[in-house]
């Protein structure tokens, strides 16, 4: 049989969730010969999260990504407050009687939510993957003791986080997903397919640190970083809090090459508590995320539109 796994791509939590579901499915649901196919999902603005053509498995799951009313979606796990964006999505979810669709917007990570859910309901053994679950929770929940940890990138899990956020090779993503649930994280980080590109990414990370230092500007409660004139696949979102520990919020405009992106975040270590729901702000522009962090996509090359959205978001955060 064929299992199709749709997952939030270029994301440590998304890849961890995909790997955990696959391991659970093989151990607790269908123990025979299973052909697993993975589909990397990205937020692309308003519209259905999933198309019928993407659900080509005998069984289909979507993890760490928006809800879909498609009949062939057999399993679903998510924790984003922006999970329901199409009309009647939440009503459709609440009416589901399969016992295979789960949602908890209070969960810090989809990976831990998924793992504990299938452990409780289907007897999945989480002990062999405890290290992965712990780090997915720390990374996606930004549960770091200080900003230095996610910026200095000394821990193997944070090196893997950096690698996957910059990786655009789907075949390597599939290898990574399989490794996450079968090998220690330190061993994975030492693999050539991770170690070699990470060395280059670390050099770029140091350049990004300098670039943000030169570019970021404080605008009241918000630190704004406009990198629209650069082309960067991504940037470590904690750099701004490392450099500006006093800020409450950050807004960053990125040109990834494939699209424009506005990243919005709140400082986990801010002395002044967050008062805005960032996911709700991002949803207005076809984006989403969590109350503490989110992102908004904008059309490829449309710098003016990206900057306009950023200006509106900044104005909202100032109120």
């Amino acid at each position: 049989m064929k299992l199709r796994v749709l997952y939030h791509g270029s994301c440590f939590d998304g890849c961890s969730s995909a790997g955990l579901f696959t391991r659970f499915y093989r151990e607790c649901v269908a123990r025979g010969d299973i052909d697993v196919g993975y589909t990397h999902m990205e937020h692309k603005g308003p519209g259905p999260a999933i198309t019928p053509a993407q659900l080509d498995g005998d069984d289909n799951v979507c993890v760490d990504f928006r809800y879909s009313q498609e009949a062939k979606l057999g399993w679903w796990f998510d924790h984003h407050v922006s999970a329901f964006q199409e009309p009647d999505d939440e009503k459709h979810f609440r009416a589901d009687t399969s016992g295979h669709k789960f949602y908890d917007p209070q969960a810090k990570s989809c990976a831990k939510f998924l793992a504990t859910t299938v452990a409780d309901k289907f007897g999945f053994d989480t002990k062999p993957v405890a290290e992965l679950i712990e780090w997915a929770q720390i990374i996606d929940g930004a549960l770091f003791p200080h900003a230095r940890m996610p910026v200095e990138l000394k821990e193997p899990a944070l090196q893997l986080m950096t690698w996957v956020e910059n990786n655009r090779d789907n075949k390597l993503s599939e290898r990574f997903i399989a490794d996450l649930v079968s090998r220690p994280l330190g061993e994975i980080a030492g693999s050539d397919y991770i170690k070699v590109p990470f060395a280059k990414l670390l050099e770029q990370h140091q350049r990004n640190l300098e670039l943000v230092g030169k570019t970021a500007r404080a605008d009241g409660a918000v630190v704004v970083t406009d990198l629209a004139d650069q082309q960067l696949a991504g940037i470590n979102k904690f750099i701004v809090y490392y450099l500006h520990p006093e800020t409450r919020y950050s807004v960053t405009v990125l040109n990834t090459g494939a699209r424009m992106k506005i990243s919005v975040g709140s400082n986990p270590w801010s002395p002044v508590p967050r008062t805005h729901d960032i996911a709700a702000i991002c949803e207005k522009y076809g984006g989403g995320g969590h109350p503490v962090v989110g992102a908004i996509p904008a059309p490829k090359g449309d710098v003016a539109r990206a900057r306009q959205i950023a200006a509106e978001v900044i104005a909202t955060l100032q109120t």
Side-chain angles (χ1 to χ4, degrees):
M1 68 166 293
K2 180 176 182 179
L3 173 66
R4 172 61 62 181
V5 181
L6 285 68
Y7 69 100
H8 187 196
S10 301
C11 170
F12 189 85
D13 191 35
C15 289
S16 299
S17 299
L20 288 166
F21 183 85
T22 303
R23 180 166 177 148
F24 149 70
Y25 197 87
R26 284 187 163 133
E27 291 182 1
C28 302
V29 181
R31 295 181 175 84
D33 187 25
I34 304 170
D35 176 23
V36 183
Y38 294 97
T39 299
H40 171 125
M41 303 292 288
E42 290 187 4
H43 297 289
K44 297 180 179 178
I50 298 171
T51 64
Q54 290 174 307
L55 303 175
D56 61 353
D58 299 300
D59 208 353
N60 301 281
V61 60
C62 181
V63 297
D64 198 34
F65 203 72
R66 287 166 46 194
Y67 186 74
S68 170
Q69 299 180 40
E70 290 292 338
K72 288 195 69 178
L73 183 64
W75 300 76
W76 178 70
F77 299 81
D78 194 31
H79 69 131
H80 294 87
V81 296
S82 54
F84 306 114
Q85 293 196 10
E86 292 296 290
D88 297 324
D89 269 359
E90 186 167 6
K91 181 179 179 181
H92 187 273
F93 165 72
R94 300 296 176 194
D96 181 76
T97 57
S98 69
H100 291 171
K101 296 179 182 178
F102 305 95
Y103 177 61
D104 182 1
Q106 302 301 317
K108 297 294 185 182
S109 72
C110 185
K112 184 172 183 178
F113 169 55
L114 186 159
T116 55
T117 298
V118 296
D120 291 344
K121 296 185 177 297
F122 303 100
F124 177 59
D125 183 4
T126 63
K127 291 191 292 294
V129 286
E131 180 193 29
L132 174 65
I133 294 168
E134 178 184 5
W135 273 106
Q137 184 81 343
I138 292 170
I139 289 170
D140 219 53
L143 303 177
F144 307 105
H146 42 68
R148 295 194 310 279
M149 179 182 279
V151 172
E152 293 176 353
L153 302 177
K154 293 179 179 178
E155 288 76 9
L158 301 182
Q159 296 169 14
L160 298 177
M161 172 196 76
T162 302
W163 178 87
V164 75
E165 288 177 353
N166 289 274
N167 175 56
R168 297 298 179 267
D169 184 326
N170 289 338
K171 289 297 183 184
L172 283 182
S173 293
E174 293 180 15
R175 178 179 176 180
F176 181 65
I177 288 168
D179 280 350
L180 284 175
V181 291
S182 61
R183 302 173 65 192
L185 299 186
E187 185 178 297
I188 303 170
S191 301
D192 284 346
Y193 83 99
I194 300 289
K195 183 172 62 176
V196 174
F198 176 73
K200 296 179 180 178
L201 289 171
L202 188 58
E203 292 176 0
Q204 181 62 57
H205 175 64
Q206 294 301 325
R207 291 193 291 271
N208 290 346
L209 188 58
E210 295 175 7
L211 182 61
V212 173
K214 294 176 182 177
T215 308
R217 59 179 177 82
D219 186 353
V222 186
V223 168
V224 183
T225 311
D226 189 335
L227 301 174
D229 295 332
Q230 308 284 328
Q231 186 167 313
L232 298 168
I235 193 165
N236 184 310
K237 58 181 172 286
F238 298 102
I239 289 176
V240 68
Y241 308 128
Y242 177 79
L243 296 174
H244 295 270
E246 76 290 344
T247 191
R248 292 172 69 194
Y249 301 106
S250 67
V251 174
T252 302
V253 181
L254 283 172
N255 178 358
T256 70
R259 59 176 175 162
M260 301 299 299
K261 178 181 177 182
I262 302 90
S263 293
V264 188
S266 58
N267 185 353
W269 307 279
S270 171
V272 182
R274 171 185 60 85
T275 54
H276 289 80
D277 184 336
I278 289 174
I281 294 172
C282 292
E283 283 178 25
K284 296 177 182 178
Y285 300 93
H290 304 285
V292 297
V293 65
I296 302 164
K300 179 179 179 179
D302 197 343
V303 174
R305 176 58 180 158
R307 285 174 170 162
Q308 178 187 359
I309 292 171
E312 292 175 9
V313 170
I314 293 163
T316 299
L317 294 172
Q318 301 287 25
T319 59

